[in-house]
Amino acid sequence: MYPDMRLRRTRSSEHMRKLVRETQIILDKLVMPVFVDETIDSPTPIKSMPDVFSYDLNSLKHYAQTLVNKGVHNVLLFGIPSKKDDEGTQAYAEDAIVQKAIPILKNAGLLVITDLCMCEYTDHGHCGIIRDGDVDNDTTLEIYAKIASSQARAGSDMIAPSGMMDGQILSIRKALDRAGFKNTPIMAYSAKYASNLYGPFRDAAKSTPAYGNRRSYQMDSANSREAMREIDLDIQEGADIIMVKPSLFYLDIVKEASTTFNKPLAVYGVSGEYNMIKNAIMEGVFDQDIILEYATSVFRAGADIFITYFAVQLCEILGKPLNENLKLTSR
Ligand code: PBG
Ligand code: ZN
């Protein structure tokens, strides 16, 4: 107890603070979301996501190299097709945009995780097949199975289903095994909440539902026990990595999942989180150090993997030699 015990002793300098720091941001554990868009022919800024762009196939090659040079190892790939229909056929066509983008990213040396959903590919913008005014779970699973094997054939390193259909992990696992991809892992968007924080993403992916919302399949933000059930079921169905999404308003869920389950836990810091933080930095309200505080809080809560649009900027900040980083802090 005070005056013998003085916790300030180990806060005296940046070297000292680093020595006792409990949580590290490890660049290997960051994943950068990447948008490849068939309707554009040069890098195109995403509305409400400053400094984030969509790429066409040509410019993607250069961007992939830039990512590697900056120290990003992992990407989560999203595709935006030029043709959308009610069955989302461009999600699994062999010559579709994501299928073409995968080898480009892999050739640059990146680990490629492919998001598996239908909302970017359907003309109605929902995450599955519509029957009687709602997304029909089991018909949708058949399409998800096709998308999974198509992405694996194109070389995807890991499949990440985000549609929140019941049974999606089991049906994708079976499809991958049948197609000869027993060793392709699944990163399950297990506890994905129906959140207002996805707005900027839907600009980029042009995937705002034409009618209704996603509340009949994504989780109600009020529920945490249900999140544990979602994760538990995904693990039973064969998920290799589990996920909580979004991050900032849901760190209690992250904490609980990390102490409850024995699987790598990914956390997705979504587009709306990026928007809020990025805009405040640009307005001068926050120092860019807030990005470190943000990432640290997600890892401290128990994330093993952090999917974030700040991945590139985090690499830039943390990749600098120690003495340059010291300049960011006063002492
Ligand atoms: C597709 C998908 C979405 C996000 C990831 N995959 C959008 C949605 O569910 O509406 C959101 C990512 C973000 O906001 O950064 N199902
Ligand atoms: Zn979707």
Side-chain angles (χ1 to χ4, degrees), residues 97-212:
I97 184 77
V98 157
Q99 284 73 2
K100 286 183 187 156
I102 291 168
I104 295 173
L105 295 165
K106 291 202 60 169
N107 286 340
L110 292 160
L111 179 104
V112 180
I113 308 166
T114 44
D115 183 88
L116 188 165
C117 201
M118 287 170 61
C119 49
E120 302 94 335
Y121 302 90
T122 50
D123 47 15
H124 47 69
H126 277 286
C127 302
I129 301 279
I130 303 286
R131 290 275 151 85
D132 304 323
D134 194 10
V135 175
D136 185 78
N137 197 87
D138 298 7
T139 325
T140 300
L141 293 186
E142 289 167 30
I143 311 283
Y144 284 6
K146 284 192 207 175
I147 304 173
S149 39
S150 162
Q151 291 181 346
R153 263 195 302 282
S156 174
D157 291 306
M158 180 148 65
I159 312 291
S162 64
M164 289 298 282
M165 295 301 123
D166 288 325
Q168 62 181 11
I169 304 306
L170 183 64
S171 100
I172 288 166
R173 182 70 269 157
K174 281 188 180 159
L176 289 171
D177 291 355
R178 246 186 283 122
F181 298 102
K182 282 200 159 38
N183 292 320
T184 300
I186 298 174
M187 180 167 87
Y189 285 71
S190 306
K192 176 176 175 178
Y193 286 90
S195 173
N196 291 290
L197 292 165
Y198 306 150
F201 173 95
R202 292 177 190 171
D203 286 339
K206 299 164 186 153
S207 64
T208 307
Y211 51 86

Side-chain angles (χ1 to χ4, degrees), residues 240-258:
D240 299 282
I241 297 177
I242 54 177
M243 193 197 297
V244 171
K245 174 189 173 184
S247 72
L248 273 192
F249 296 171
Y250 298 85
L251 291 184
D252 56 327
I253 312 295
V254 174
K255 179 77 185 177
E256 196 175 347
S258 76

Side-chain angles (χ1 to χ4, degrees), residues 209-224:
Y211 51 86
N213 54 51
R214 303 206 202 292
R215 293 185 186 277
S216 80
Y217 39 104
Q218 297 180 350
M219 278 191 60
D220 187 324
S221 59
N223 298 354
S224 60

Side-chain angles (χ1 to χ4, degrees), residues 227-229 231-232 235 242 256-264:
M228 299 308 119
R229 294 193 66 207
I231 296 169
D232 189 23
I235 292 173
I242 54 177
E256 196 175 347
S258 76
T259 54
T260 307
F261 299 103
N262 220 339
K263 284 274 174 191

